[in-house]
Amino acid sequence: MTISRSRGREKKLRRDGTEKKREQKKDWTKKKIKEITEAVQKMTDDEFDGLEESLRLTLKSLRK
């Protein structure tokens, strides 16, 4: 015997799974941004000046 589910219930379960994955991705992204910011702030001036110019311009706001 199989357990039947309504279509609405199946859609809700799929949507809940998608929302959970979306939240996990947001958490991962926030964590990576924080790690990158900390790494850039710990860099010495010489290390920072050794970076490519385009990268320096991009990361300049994180150096504050």
Side-chain angles (χ1 to χ4, degrees):
M1 178 178 253
T2 61
I3 300 173
S4 63
R5 292 184 182 160
S6 68
R7 286 187 178 187
R9 173 102 173 117
E10 287 180 9
K11 286 182 181 179
K12 181 183 182 311
L13 290 173
R14 258 186 268 136
R15 184 178 61 243
D16 290 346
T18 302
E19 289 173 2
K20 184 177 179 182
K21 287 180 185 176
R22 192 175 299 133
E23 288 300 319
Q24 288 173 342
K25 187 173 182 178
K26 285 181 185 177
D27 291 343
W28 182 87
T29 304
K30 287 179 185 177
K31 181 180 174 186
K32 289 299 175 186
I33 291 172
K34 185 177 178 182
E35 288 176 5
I36 292 168
T37 303
E38 289 173 358
V40 170
Q41 289 174 347
K42 288 179 183 178
M43 291 176 85
T44 64
D45 290 337
D46 291 336
E47 291 172 333
F48 190 75
D49 291 339
L51 296 175
E52 229 177 270
E53 184 179 353
S54 60
L55 187 56
R56 271 197 319 262
L57 293 174
T58 303
L59 298 176
K60 188 176 182 179
S61 64
L62 299 177
R63 288 286 285 176
K64 297 177 182 179

